[in-house]
Amino acid sequence: MKRLGVLISGKGSNLRAVLEKKPRGVEVACVISNVPGVLGLEVARTHGVETHVIRHQDSPSREAFDATIVKLLEASRVDFVLLAGFMRLLTPVFLNAFSRRVINVHPSLLPAFPGAHAVRDALLYGVKVTGATVHFVDEGTDTGPIILQRAVPIEDGDDEAALHARVQKIEHEIVPLAVELWASGRLALDGRRVRAHG
Ligand code: GAR
């Protein structure tokens, strides 16, 4: 069993998808939120998962914030980390501690529309197809090697909420799949390309 730490800032529907779909070889060891009182913490508790709140405002720097989280993850003997709607950028303090072991989900077909408002940005641009991406995290904003990606067509009547809901349906399929692939050791990196074998 590989122990997964999940970082959240919000409602935790991707966390819920992982907990409910129970990807093989994966145990959710702990959930950490940088925002108190979010629904995702309740989702974790309902499933009996250990939770922590580390407010980023309480740390003197980004590095200190990351170091606090790394300590908690190490104390929970976490093997790898999922950013599931965690709306903070990570520093090398975090990424060096969990090198190639941090996965993020993003609501667009990267490299299109990185950043915090991907669904809105896709609608404003007027693209006809967007989607969801699961990728390894590097030091850039949503720039790491792509593990899985699926398209979602944009419909004429879509507003941000309707489109995000359809994108999230896809996220809830590819996030559990990506963590299962990681846990079973089937992901191989070849430059920027991630191959899933077996
Ligand atoms: C997800 O749609 C995720 O892709 C997005 O936040 C949402 C969190 O939902 N992440 C980003 O925009 C990161 N740039 P959830 O809390 O219900 O899992």
Side-chain angles (χ1 to χ4, degrees):
M1 269 299 185
K2 297 290 184 193
R3 292 173 64 79
L4 177 66
V6 184
L7 271 50
I8 61 168
S9 304
K11 72 178 168 34
S13 69
N14 281 288
L15 165 66
R16 189 195 299 275
V18 171
L19 289 166
E20 287 179 354
K21 294 207 168 152
K22 301 187 191 343
R24 267 167 297 175
V26 178
E27 179 183 351
V28 178
C30 69
V31 170
I32 302 174
S33 173
N34 66 316
V35 184
V38 291
L39 189 61
L41 288 165
E42 208 41 55
V43 170
R45 287 188 204 111
T46 307
H47 284 81
V49 177
E50 166 192 322
T51 60
H52 302 271
V53 175
I54 309 293
R55 284 162 35 99
H56 55 274
Q57 300 93 331
D58 294 342
S59 293
S61 64
R62 283 184 179 276
E63 286 76 12
F65 172 69
D66 282 7
T68 307
I69 294 182
V70 166
K71 245 192 204 163
L72 279 174
L73 294 170
E74 286 176 347
S76 288
R77 292 173 289 109
V78 156
D79 296 297
F80 69 132
V81 179
L82 171 67
L83 309 183
F86 183 67
M87 304 306 269
R88 304 289 301 170
L89 291 178
L90 298 175
T91 69
V93 169
F94 195 110
L95 296 173
N96 293 338
F98 285 95
S99 180
R100 288 284 171 253
R101 294 187 292 151
V102 187
I103 291 170
N104 181 45
V105 56
H106 184 78
S108 75
L109 288 178
L110 290 171
F113 312 117
H117 306 290
V119 176
R120 188 190 312 167
D121 293 346
L123 274 174
L124 285 173
Y125 195 96
V127 291
K128 301 296 186 196
V129 178
T130 186
T133 302
V134 182
H135 64 96
F136 284 115
V137 176
D138 64 11
E139 283 171 34
T141 302
D142 304 318
T143 50
I146 291 168
I147 300 169
L148 294 170
Q149 212 164 30
R150 268 187 214 160
V152 174
I154 293 181
E155 291 162 13
D156 286 346
D158 273 342
D159 60 11
E160 189 174 345
L163 179 56
H164 200 171
R166 290 209 313 286
V167 168
Q168 286 220 293
K169 270 200 179 160
I170 300 298
E171 292 183 341
H172 301 160
E173 290 172 16
I174 64 177
V175 168
L177 181 56
V179 298
E180 181 168 307
L181 287 169
W182 190 95
S184 63
R186 278 180 287 164
L187 294 180
L189 254 180
D190 171 14
R192 282 197 52 88
R193 295 183 72 184
V194 181
R195 295 213 171 82
H197 48 84

